[in-house]
Amino acid sequence: MIDAIMFAVLLLLGFGFGQLSEKRHYRSIIRREKELQPIVVVGSKHPPTGEKFRQVLVVGNVVVASDYFKSFVASLVNIFGGRVRTYEPLLDRGRREALLRVKEQAHALGALQVFNIKYETSRIGGRVTTIEVLAYGTALLDSTLTTEPAMHSGSDEMSASAPLSIAN
Amino acid sequence: MIITSLEYLPGMTVQRHLGLVQGSSVRSKHAGRDIMAGLKSIFGGELVGYTELLHESREEAVERLIQQAKSIEANAILNVRFSTSSIASGAAEIFVYGAAVQVANES
């Protein structure tokens, strides 16, 4: 009996807070995507030749969890198979957030282009589905810039997104 | 040390290829953080503890990559790739590799 109550409470909590945090996250993603629109991120491996650039590796990662309710719904869908709609926003949020962190770093370095962007997604253990998304690419900086850009990213939600300190 | 995910450096030429260099790091968070992350995951959203853990781990792997490249007198690492594998719940291995080269400015 107590188990059943606990389960119902977890489901309710997951549903309520999960919806809330997802909505908030999407609002933040959409706002920051607009702000960072001038930064071009492409998958091409071939930067324009003829010009000199300084290249810096930019990396963005994020760990996002689905919630208890969505994981439960997904486990039900799994029985019958088919499209698991409750996980789609999770992956979408993870990818967009990771890319935004890459863009924020590029912006902090003063770069307007990021080349050869790669994504990587991995599952993190636990009862509730949790994923990590990593995005990385090469930011091209004008080589005439002599001042070392501040190693600081403009993220308002995260402190861990400082660039890997490997600027040459 | 220039680190890039591209295959070449515009305006520079590769003079010597020194082979593959790599760095890896396995980390896990202490139990307290794991329990907190477990609770947080019920409600969904970002698990900052894990994000930080993986970020630090990646920095360490890159640091080792650079050390290895330095020891063979490379001045750039091209075509850098990351790879992640979860070994147990709460522990992950981060692996980073690339091609160590000596580059010089085009005259």
Side-chain angles (χ1 to χ4, degrees):
Chain A
M1 186 61 198
I2 289 167
D3 279 1
I5 292 169
M6 267 302 283
F7 178 67
V9 167
L10 286 177
L11 273 188
L12 272 174
L13 281 176
F15 181 73
F17 285 97
Q19 292 292 77
L20 204 71
S21 80
E22 187 177 299
K23 275 198 187 119
R24 212 169 39 207
H25 195 192
Y26 265 122
R27 269 203 300 276
S28 151
I29 286 174
I30 289 163
R31 178 176 54 79
R32 285 182 296 151
E33 272 178 353
K34 271 188 192 141
E35 280 171 14
L36 293 164
Q37 213 175 14
I39 295 170
V40 179
V41 180
V42 289
S44 163
K45 281 184 180 177
H46 304 287
T49 48
E51 283 172 84
K52 272 196 178 177
F53 293 107
R54 212 155 66 78
Q55 308 191 0
V56 180
L57 195 71
V58 282
V59 182
N61 75 321
V62 64
V63 177
V64 273
S66 182
D67 57 58
Y68 200 86
F69 177 77
K70 289 206 187 80
S71 288
F72 175 69
V73 171
S75 68
L76 289 184
V77 174
N78 257 341
I79 297 169
F80 308 107
R83 191 172 158 186
V84 190
R85 279 170 203 273
T86 53
Y87 282 158
E88 284 170 2
L90 176 73
L91 287 145
D92 181 51
R93 278 160 68 197
R95 299 241 161 79
R96 285 164 81 172
E97 180 68 41
L99 190 70
L100 275 170
R101 284 177 187 177
V102 163
K103 282 185 166 188
E104 273 161 7
Q105 266 185 41
H107 180 69
L109 291 163
L112 284 174
Q113 294 167 305
V114 179
F115 272 79
N116 201 9
I117 192 87
K118 300 273 180 215
Y119 278 114
E120 200 183 288
T121 312
S122 42
R123 213 179 75 95
I124 289 177
R127 257 176 307 167
V128 174
T129 304
T130 307
I131 55 156
E132 194 224 7
V133 182
L134 169 74
Y136 58 103
T138 301
L140 298 185
L141 274 72
D142 196 337
S143 64
T144 53
L145 281 176
T146 45
T147 48
E148 197 58 36
M151 282 297 162
H152 167 76
S153 92
S155 171
D156 54 352
E157 290 195 340
M158 258 286 298
S159 54
S161 63
L164 295 172
S165 41
I166 46 174
N168 53 317
Chain B
M1 184 69 66
I2 302 166
I3 298 180
T4 173
S5 67
L6 301 176
E7 286 165 5
Y8 59 92
L9 295 156
M12 289 178 143
T13 46
V14 174
Q15 299 198 309
R16 272 180 74 204
H17 193 275
L18 300 166
L20 201 73
V21 281
Q22 56 192 25
S24 77
S25 129
V26 180
R27 290 235 183 150
S28 73
K29 213 74 170 175
H30 57 84
R33 279 289 189 97
D34 252 358
I35 291 165
M36 285 312 288
L39 283 178
K40 180 94 200 293
S41 70
I42 291 166
F43 308 113
E46 182 180 354
L47 308 180
V48 180
Y50 281 152
T51 307
E52 278 168 7
L53 164 74
L54 289 157
H55 181 78
E56 285 161 17
S57 184
R58 223 158 254 136
E59 267 187 337
E60 194 180 357
V62 170
E63 199 47 56
R64 287 179 186 163
L65 176 80
I66 293 172
Q67 286 308 322
Q68 204 188 336
K70 272 186 183 156
S71 72
I72 54 171
E73 282 155 12
N75 63 359
I77 307 169
L78 306 182
N79 217 355
V80 168
R81 295 281 178 273
F82 287 101
S83 130
T84 316
S85 38
S86 77
I87 291 177
S89 71
E93 192 221 13
I94 309 283
F95 182 54
V96 55
Y97 58 101
V101 290
Q102 277 179 358
V103 292
N105 280 319
E106 263 167 18
S107 49

